[in-house]
Amino acid sequence: MDKELLASPDLGPTARGAGTTSNVLYFNGETVYIACSGDSRAIMGKRAGGKVSAFDLSKDHKPDLPDERKRIEKAGGVVSAAGPNGLPPSRVWVNGRVGLAMSRSIGDGEAKGHGVIPDPEVKVVTVKPAANATADGDAFVCVASDGIWEFISSQQACDVISKHPT
């Protein structure tokens, strides 16, 4: 998809300077396939003994993660550190500009030669749905972008969501 987007005569010029993250969940019975590229995140709220706990279904691809940083720097990109409490986030810099806050994305063609890749990380989990709104089990899934995750934790999101029965 990334190659087709960047090669598109209509969208390619825009996609060289802009991009997006992706987090795709495919439910097949009790199996969930999660494919994440970027810093969007998917979480699951698991209820046990009346308490809901967060379980991350995906990992944010931030430039300062050791494996991500290694790939970016090997390709000539520069990674700046995150600020206090993670804000501003770490960034990938290409030729002193671009400043992506994620290490994987679709589009962002200017950064592709500097270690930013579109490849998703894929995870497979089995869900055990709760029998009702108060029973133990997997209660809900939440998918959101960094606009949420830069400001609240997975557990804080679960706490907010779990206050609403539907």
Side-chain angles (χ1 to χ4, degrees):
M1 182 176 158
D2 186 67
K3 287 179 185 174
E4 288 183 32
L5 175 65
L6 291 169
S8 165
D10 297 327
L11 300 173
T14 300
R16 280 189 270 293
T20 187
T21 63
S22 65
N23 211 327
V24 178
L25 280 68
Y26 172 68
F27 290 79
N28 185 3
E30 291 188 347
T31 303
V32 182
Y33 300 85
I34 304 101
C36 177
S37 178
D39 57 356
S40 293
R41 185 182 318 151
I43 65 170
M44 183 182 308
K46 294 178 164 279
R47 185 177 294 108
K51 181 179 177 351
V52 176
S53 296
F55 174 74
D56 287 345
L57 296 172
S58 64
K59 175 179 81 176
D60 301 359
H61 296 117
K62 294 294 189 182
D64 56 354
L65 292 173
D67 288 344
E68 302 291 303
R69 175 185 285 256
K70 183 177 178 181
R71 183 188 66 249
I72 292 163
E73 291 177 343
K74 183 177 180 183
V78 174
V79 176
S80 63
N85 300 316
L87 293 174
S90 63
R91 295 192 182 275
V92 176
W93 298 94
V94 176
N95 300 324
R97 55 189 186 87
V98 178
L100 288 179
M102 74 286 259
S103 54
R104 299 180 189 216
S105 69
I106 297 170
D108 292 313
E110 290 182 38
K112 286 296 166 23
H114 294 84
V116 174
I117 60 174
D119 308 356
E121 230 174 346
V122 178
K123 187 175 187 178
V124 180
V125 299
T126 301
V127 294
K128 301 290 184 205
N132 59 53
T134 59
D136 286 355
D138 298 332
F140 55 82
V141 169
C142 172
V143 181
S145 72
D146 65 318
I148 296 293
W149 305 124
E150 283 185 8
F151 301 101
I152 66 172
S153 69
S154 298
Q155 185 59 53
Q156 288 172 313
C158 279
D159 293 344
V160 169
I161 295 166
S162 65
K163 290 178 184 175
H164 304 277
T166 61

